[in-house]
Amino acid sequence: MAPNAAGTRRRDPHRRERIVAAAVAVIGEVGLAGFTHRAVAARADVPLGSTTYYFADLDELLDAAVRTVAEENVQRLRDWALALPDDADLSSELARFAVRLVTKHREATVLAYELYGAALRRPALRAASTAWDTMLTEVFQSRFDPVTARALTALFDGLLYQALVSPRTPRRAELEPVLRRLLV
């Protein structure tokens, strides 16, 4: 931040949030391999020292990024669940939601799965990474017994992952029968 006319630095109350948003953007653009303090600082347009001022190390910054992505995805899921009528055909609606996550929200979904995978080697990221699964299971438990809800969470996560790595975009008609098989 440049000094103002009086020679003092202006206050930047949103710098930490900008750094976290930049971290999410960097991971989204270049993956974890390109995730560095330098890349994040450049993206946030802050001095390099700002990233280490707000975050003790790269893992702490990564944890903040994971939490941000998880919160956004959980909010997307909550919004979807709240919009469902009580009599909704959940197989059809879930298939439609999955297609939307891998098309309209593809970048966010890829990022979420990349960070979810990072939790395999970085235990500190696991709590934030599993927020999606926890919320998904809670949504399903509002309509099914706990065992079916957990199975549906695993199936839905697996279908999303397969759809993300597939060379072609999935269609609702392909996903719906798989979901219906579990829910019948």
Side-chain angles (χ1 to χ4, degrees), residues 32-181:
L32 289 172
F35 179 68
T36 64
H37 280 289
R38 188 172 306 284
V40 171
R43 177 65 186 237
D45 194 26
V46 298
L48 180 59
S50 290
T51 62
T52 56
Y53 174 80
Y54 288 101
F55 302 95
D57 56 28
L58 208 52
D59 278 346
E60 190 175 310
L61 178 53
L62 182 58
D63 181 64
V66 169
R67 288 181 190 284
T68 297
V69 170
E71 287 167 8
E72 290 170 359
N73 284 334
V74 165
Q75 188 58 52
R76 188 174 292 116
L77 175 63
R78 281 188 180 119
D79 293 345
W80 171 81
L82 288 172
L84 284 178
D86 290 339
D87 62 345
D89 176 350
L90 201 53
S91 300
S92 179
E93 293 300 330
L94 275 171
R96 186 175 287 113
F97 185 53
V99 170
R100 188 173 35 195
L101 289 174
V102 299
T103 55
K104 181 179 178 189
H105 301 291
R106 183 176 183 79
E107 185 177 304
T109 306
V110 167
L111 179 60
Y113 274 90
E114 185 166 6
L115 294 173
Y116 191 82
L120 290 170
R121 301 258 183 222
R122 294 179 165 136
L125 301 179
R126 290 180 183 161
S129 294
T130 58
W132 165 262
D133 287 341
T134 300
M135 181 60 190
L136 195 58
T137 301
E138 287 173 8
V139 167
F140 295 153
Q141 281 181 342
S142 71
R143 294 173 184 260
F144 302 101
D145 65 273
V147 174
T148 302
R150 287 192 65 206
L152 188 53
T153 297
L155 175 62
F156 190 73
D157 274 341
L159 288 173
L160 273 180
Y161 189 78
Q162 288 175 346
L164 288 170
V165 299
S166 175
R168 59 185 194 75
T169 303
R171 294 186 345 249
R172 184 185 57 80
E174 297 168 335
L175 301 177
E176 188 175 333
V178 176
L179 291 159
R180 192 169 305 286
R181 174 65 60 96

Side-chain angles (χ1 to χ4, degrees), residues 10-34:
R10 292 186 309 243
R11 190 156 145 55
D12 187 359
H14 303 291
R15 183 173 286 195
R16 185 182 192 285
E17 292 82 9
R18 281 199 347 263
I19 292 169
V20 173
V24 170
V26 166
I27 297 165
E29 290 170 5
V30 298
L32 289 172

